[in-house]
Amino acid sequence: MKAIEIGADLLEPAMDAAIRLDYLKDLPGFGLVIKVAQASRSVSDFILLAKMEGFAEGMGEVDRAELAAFAAKIDAEPEFGKRIGKLLLGSLHAFNDFEKTPILGKIYRSFVLGEIGFDTVRRLSNAVNLAVVDDLTALYSAHPDSKVMTEEARADFVTSLHALRITGLASLEDTAFAFVGRNSYIGTAVAPLGTEFIRIMQSK
């Protein structure tokens, strides 16, 4: 009975998601899953569509010419296209938090626009999967050098950095100092991958 209730609750937003995702249907892997999920009564397919709605929100509106150019490039390299589709659909399935899906959308947008390569997409997708979404938000929204940052906010930022070491977005550095109140100690720094993540998430 619970599965039936969940499926009914997800049906309307999932179908809305499919409509919003129409402009993405030509991208690797997504056209097929939209068609399958629309025709299915599977709760897992409805959940995937709901996740894809978040993905579309994060990706935002991309110029049709940009999308067409990207699709043409993938069409010329079908095996590469399959790798992209498998990675992104696998990531969406794996995410245990719906709030991560808009983040993946922004990463994919940067890829479509040619700002990052496939290797970076793969590393960032894995990092997002491993992280707690609150720590990811702290990474790209906090400004530890800001004079207006409160002591509590700075402490939270340092805590998030430590938690993100397992993702590759942050790393333990002998030369990095974390400041909390009047105390300073050797701590964790934003890694190059984390710097790229911040740039993507703060981009318009």
Side-chain angles (χ1 to χ4, degrees), residues 41-62:
R41 292 292 178 181
S42 166
V43 172
S44 63
D45 285 328
F46 291 142
I47 290 174
L48 180 57
L49 271 174
K51 287 182 177 181
M52 290 174 71
E53 180 180 20
F55 174 90
E57 176 188 335
M59 189 166 179
E61 289 297 328
V62 179

Side-chain angles (χ1 to χ4, degrees), residues 2 8 24 39 41 44 50-52 56 59 98 134 147 151 166 168 176 187 199:
K2 286 185 178 181
L24 297 177
R41 292 292 178 181
S44 63
K51 287 182 177 181
M52 290 174 71
M59 189 166 179
F98 281 80
D134 292 340
K147 293 180 180 180
E151 182 175 331
I166 64 168
R199 182 196 66 76

Side-chain angles (χ1 to χ4, degrees), residues 25-112:
K25 68 181 184 301
D26 294 328
L27 295 180
F30 285 89
L32 178 60
V33 75
I34 290 172
K35 290 178 182 177
V36 171
Q38 281 180 311
S40 175
R41 292 292 178 181
S42 166
V43 172
S44 63
D45 285 328
F46 291 142
I47 290 174
L48 180 57
L49 271 174
K51 287 182 177 181
M52 290 174 71
E53 180 180 20
F55 174 90
E57 176 188 335
M59 189 166 179
E61 289 297 328
V62 179
D63 184 81
R64 293 273 181 172
E66 296 275 8
L67 283 171
F70 180 76
K73 179 180 177 182
I74 299 306
D75 285 343
E77 303 178 69
E79 290 304 314
F80 183 46
K82 289 180 183 178
R83 291 176 66 197
I84 296 170
K86 287 178 180 179
L87 171 66
L88 292 171
L89 292 176
S91 296
L92 287 171
H93 270 297
F95 285 177
N96 58 5
D97 191 326
F98 281 80
E99 291 182 41
K100 291 181 178 181
T101 58
I103 295 175
L104 186 65
K106 290 214 71 169
I107 292 169
Y108 197 69
R109 174 190 175 90
S110 189
F111 177 52
V112 169

Side-chain angles (χ1 to χ4, degrees), residues 9 23-24 71 82 116 143 153 162 191:
D9 290 342
Y23 83 103
L24 297 177
K82 289 180 183 178
I116 59 175
H143 303 280
H162 278 275

Side-chain angles (χ1 to χ4, degrees), residues 74-182:
I74 299 306
D75 285 343
E77 303 178 69
E79 290 304 314
F80 183 46
K82 289 180 183 178
R83 291 176 66 197
I84 296 170
K86 287 178 180 179
L87 171 66
L88 292 171
L89 292 176
S91 296
L92 287 171
H93 270 297
F95 285 177
N96 58 5
D97 191 326
F98 281 80
E99 291 182 41
K100 291 181 178 181
T101 58
I103 295 175
L104 186 65
K106 290 214 71 169
I107 292 169
Y108 197 69
R109 174 190 175 90
S110 189
F111 177 52
V112 169
L113 296 178
E115 298 172 351
I116 59 175
F118 179 70
D119 182 63
T120 301
V121 174
R122 181 162 47 193
R123 291 177 185 277
L124 286 174
S125 298
N126 184 60
V128 172
N129 187 38
L130 291 173
V132 174
V133 73
D134 292 340
D135 294 328
L136 294 171
T137 303
L139 179 62
Y140 67 78
S141 62
H143 303 280
D145 295 329
S146 173
K147 293 180 180 180
V148 299
M149 192 178 209
T150 66
E151 182 175 331
E152 182 181 1
R154 191 178 296 276
D156 289 343
F157 180 80
V158 171
T159 299
S160 292
L161 272 187
H162 278 275
L164 290 170
R165 285 184 298 175
I166 64 168
T167 69
L169 297 174
S171 59
L172 187 63
E173 299 282 350
D174 290 341
T175 57
F177 289 85
F179 297 93
V180 182
R182 297 181 178 179

